[in-house]
Amino acid sequence: MSYTPPPGHALAFSFMGQDAYTPPPGGALAFSFQPTEATPGGLNLAASAALALVGQANLVIMALKPLQAVCALSVITRGMMRSLGTLMIQALGRIALIGKRVTAKAPTGLGMKMEIITDSKRPEVVLDQFLRVWFRGQPSAVKVAYQVDDQPEIQPAATWENPGTTQPAILRIDGAEIPGDGLTHRVTVSAWQQVGTATSPKATISEYLATPDVRPTAVPEWCGATLQRQATGLQYHSTGQLPDLVEVRWRHPGAVALFAKFMKSGKTAIVQIGVADHQEEHFMAEGVSAKMGYTFAPANVYFGVAAIARNTYGAITWQAAPVQIKGFDNFLLPEPAHPDAATRQDVGTSPFQGAVMDLLQAELGANAPANLSDIVIRTQQKLFLKIKDILRKGGTVELDNLGTFKANWSPSGRSVSFVPSLGFKVGTAHGKPLTDAQAKGLP
């Protein structure tokens, strides 16, 4: 940028207190500058100036990108006088400060902590709550916003707790707080630099926070349960075949946890069977009989619900009359239908050799040798023997379209492994015999 002294003003240079040069009226000096760092806040300038003293010079005006800055310029000159006499200097001065403009960057080292101060005698009472945020940067040039869950983002007022320190700067936000509902909430803090009209990208951090865990005092108004399906199994056996199904209902404006109570081994057992949100009013409980252990006859089971708040449960409201359910140690469910039941074969060596011989006989027809059966058997025996011989010596046998037999060494000794080829593996999955080339050609 350039500077022209206003009318009536002058910019003068002096040496040892003696006037040296005053720009003529209307003259201008050209400046450019470069900040020493890209951190926010006040702009620090590093400058060096060379003052050329010549008998006559023309004033140079430089037009660069428009920049705005507040700076202090200090020009120090040193010289050595080599002869005595009167030194008369008349000169035009040109001072150039080389500058570079950089893009604003997001603050680094962003962190956050929600401070919750409670009463030492009554931990459910929150005395104060504020958010502490820190980052590396100048708070005067950094904007901070916070967001709770999916609520609108807020840019609150903040207090700089360690003025003058930017590595990091610590801010306190008194307006930030978590809803006092005892649930866990996501708090997101964002920070970005705002220098003039330049805005940096945002640095963002999120944490899941909650108010202190305090047992809720709310108690559900009512709970009831209706048996929809009885557990079934063998009459004199502890293994069941079909679990029970019970519909549980309740009245409560908030979320609840569901429980079942029954006698087991002569003691009262209470087990949690599920949870439900605040907008739900019934729950289908299946398989409580598997938690009871075997009972010869149906036994009394009570269902109940308790309010959920601050990651814990309140008092349980039980149903008035029990539901009778027969208990089992475990359940043996029906096996799923086997898709290969019609085509599955389990063959041994002899049937396998016979199947191969039948295929060759059909293919060769009248040209089949009389000793075809013996050829098939001896070929199979020699093939397997050769594979075993190579592997026992630590080798590998790789058969196209089938797979790789390999010997492996471990601390416990040598072992054998088989890795199916691509065609073998893909063909098995598709239910058809494929070569490796055919498997590669599949989409």
Side-chain angles (χ1 to χ4, degrees):
M1 67 181 180
S2 63
Y3 170 74
T4 302
H9 292 254
L11 180 65
F13 295 90
S14 64
F15 298 90
M16 301 300 292
Q18 302 296 320
D19 292 340
Y21 167 70
T22 300
L29 295 177
F31 296 88
S32 63
F33 60 89
Q34 178 174 356
T36 59
E37 56 185 357
T39 55
L43 185 61
N44 299 320
L45 301 178
S48 61
L51 186 60
L53 305 180
V54 297
Q56 183 178 359
N58 296 323
L59 186 64
V60 178
I61 300 177
M62 300 177 64
L64 302 177
K65 291 182 179 179
L67 299 172
Q68 295 181 354
V70 177
C71 63
L73 176 63
S74 174
V75 179
I76 301 174
T77 62
R78 295 182 177 86
M80 180 179 294
M81 206 167 175
R82 298 185 180 277
S83 62
L84 297 175
T86 302
L87 180 63
M88 299 182 62
I89 299 176
Q90 183 177 1
L92 292 176
R94 177 171 180 252
I95 302 176
L97 306 178
I98 306 303
K100 180 181 180 182
R101 184 175 183 178
V102 297
T103 304
K105 297 181 180 179
T108 59
L110 180 63
M112 60 175 286
K113 182 180 180 182
M114 181 66 76
E115 302 286 355
I116 301 176
I117 302 174
T118 61
D119 190 328
S120 59
K121 297 182 179 180
R122 293 182 301 166
E124 73 277 6
V125 178
V126 177
L127 301 177
D128 193 11
Q129 185 178 174
F130 61 89
L131 184 65
R132 186 169 274 129
V133 178
W134 57 88
F135 52 82
R136 295 186 182 92
Q138 186 68 244
S140 60
V142 175
K143 302 295 183 181
V144 177
Y146 82 95
Q147 180 186 32
V148 178
D149 296 328
D150 295 323
Q151 298 300 315
E153 192 176 63
I154 300 174
Q155 294 187 35
T159 303
W160 190 0
E161 291 195 321
N162 57 340
T165 302
T166 59
Q167 302 294 329
I170 303 175
L171 304 185
R172 170 176 170 148
I173 301 175
D174 288 306
E177 62 180 24
I178 308 169
D181 53 10
L183 304 178
T184 300
H185 296 272
R186 183 186 71 251
V187 178
T188 302
V189 172
S190 301
W192 65 96
Q193 288 200 69
Q194 185 76 46
V195 182
T197 58
T199 302
S200 76
K202 286 186 176 181
T204 303
I205 185 173
S206 295
E207 286 192 13
Y208 289 86
L209 308 171
T211 48
D213 295 341
V214 180
R215 184 177 174 86
T217 57
V219 178
E221 179 182 349
W222 168 84
C223 177
T226 304
L227 181 65
Q228 301 293 331
R229 184 183 68 217
Q230 182 65 266
T232 61
L234 300 178
Q235 179 67 27
Y236 301 103
H237 201 279
S238 62
T239 300
Q241 295 176 329
L242 182 65
D244 60 286
L245 183 65
V246 178
E247 182 182 21
V248 184
R249 289 186 172 273
W250 62 90
R251 284 195 296 269
H252 183 67
V256 298
L258 294 97
F259 299 87
K261 179 173 61 174
F262 45 81
M263 297 296 294
K264 185 175 184 179
S265 301
K267 298 180 180 179
T268 300
I270 299 177
V271 296
Q272 184 177 344
I273 58 174
V275 293
D277 209 344
H278 65 91
Q279 75 272 17
E280 299 178 272
E281 58 184 18
H282 75 103
F283 180 89
M284 301 302 293
E286 185 178 31
V288 174
S289 52
K291 302 178 182 295
M292 299 167 56
Y294 177 70
T295 61
F296 180 78
N300 291 335
V301 178
Y302 291 85
F303 290 86
V305 292
I308 300 178
R310 304 175 184 91
N311 299 322
T312 188
Y313 310 129
I316 301 175
T317 298
W318 297 103
Q319 66 184 109
V323 174
Q324 290 198 322
I325 300 175
K326 181 174 173 56
F328 291 92
D329 289 334
N330 53 63
F331 281 84
L332 180 63
L333 301 179
E335 293 184 0
H338 200 300
D340 299 325
T343 59
R344 175 178 173 177
Q345 299 180 51
D346 298 313
V347 298
T349 301
S350 296
F352 181 75
Q353 293 171 347
V356 173
M357 187 181 66
D358 292 342
L359 290 173
L360 290 174
Q361 184 70 56
E363 183 176 341
L364 296 175
N367 296 325
N371 61 340
L372 179 61
S373 175
D374 185 58
I375 293 175
V376 170
I377 294 173
R378 292 179 64 83
T379 300
Q380 178 260 318
Q381 291 175 345
K382 294 297 183 181
L383 173 64
F384 290 175
L385 183 61
K386 188 60 178 177
I387 292 175
K388 293 178 181 179
D389 183 60
I390 294 175
L391 265 63
R392 76 179 180 85
K393 298 175 182 177
T396 299
V397 177
E398 183 175 355
L399 302 178
D400 294 340
N401 309 313
L402 182 65
T404 302
F405 297 87
K406 184 178 180 181
N408 303 303
W409 274 103
S410 68
S412 59
R414 184 189 286 127
S415 63
V416 63
S417 64
F418 172 74
V419 179
S421 70
L422 179 63
F424 192 179
K425 183 163 53 178
V426 175
T428 301
H430 284 71
K432 59 178 66 175
L434 295 177
T435 65
D436 294 344
Q438 290 172 330
K440 292 180 181 178
L442 292 177

